[in-house]
Amino acid sequence: KKWTLEELMALSLQDLQRLYVRACAMAGEGNAEAIALKHRIENCQRPYTNESNVNYSDETAHKMAQIIWRDESRDAMLEATGRGEPALAGIEKVLQRELGDAYRSQNYGTVVAGKLVGERMRQLGYVNAGKKDMPEGSVATTAETWQRRNV
């Protein structure tokens, strides 16, 4: 069967994961349709396995935290905040460059990065000021903005 994007998007995570596992197995045997399906699932803009999701205990999140807690990242987040942009906008290019494909929305990488940025901004004395769209060309679509906490 040739799966459409609409059909893939309609599947539950569990069903999509099963389909992905089957496609991977058949792709390993050189099946051209399975190879195409595997790539279609990987690029369908949604999570397709529980294992592919970034979580706080994995290596990707650890690398994100290291990037976010650098002095130059702090400065870039504060500069973005000063411009009225989400703090994530100040460091997203660095995350993209250093994490490559591990930083994407389909594996919740953008969500984890946003949460880590939030922890950092709160530590710096800021409070949430609402969500805004990220600049054009960003991986994340929206992110939190921040304002200085009243002392």
Side-chain angles (χ1 to χ4, degrees):
K1 172 179 169 121
K2 183 166 172 105
W3 289 83
T4 66
L5 179 60
E6 292 77 25
E7 291 170 322
L8 294 174
M9 296 300 277
L11 292 175
S12 69
L13 175 60
Q14 188 176 25
D15 289 340
L16 187 60
Q17 183 172 355
R18 275 195 286 265
L19 183 61
Y20 181 71
V21 168
R22 283 197 310 266
C24 287
M26 293 172 62
E29 298 169 0
N31 182 311
E33 284 184 33
I35 293 168
L37 176 58
K38 177 181 174 288
H39 291 300
R40 198 171 308 118
I41 292 170
E42 290 171 346
N43 294 305
C44 74
Q45 302 296 311
R46 66 168 280 198
Y48 51 89
T49 69
N50 288 329
E51 293 80 26
S52 68
N53 296 343
V54 173
N55 63 64
Y56 284 107
S57 63
D58 74 10
E59 185 63 27
T60 300
H62 179 71
K63 288 179 185 173
M64 279 183 194
Q66 288 178 325
I67 293 167
I68 290 165
W69 284 78
R70 292 178 188 158
D71 289 343
E72 59 268 20
S73 294
R74 176 201 60 217
D75 295 345
M77 290 186 296
L78 294 177
E79 286 174 19
T81 297
R83 294 189 304 268
E85 296 179 348
L88 181 59
I91 61 162
E92 197 183 49
K93 295 294 183 207
V94 176
L95 292 171
Q96 289 175 23
R97 184 177 63 248
E98 294 192 25
L99 298 174
D101 288 340
Y103 180 71
R104 60 185 196 279
S105 59
Q106 299 93 324
N107 68 348
Y108 295 106
T110 56
V111 172
V112 172
K115 290 186 182 300
L116 292 169
V117 165
E119 291 173 14
R120 181 68 165 134
M121 293 301 289
R122 280 187 285 281
Q123 183 270 335
L124 292 168
Y126 286 76
V127 294
N128 187 297
K131 284 188 183 269
K132 272 194 174 177
D133 289 342
M134 287 285 286
E136 188 161 330
S138 298
V139 175
T141 53
T142 62
E144 300 294 336
T145 59
W146 301 90
Q147 65 186 20
R148 201 74 163 123
R149 183 181 315 132
N150 292 337
V151 185

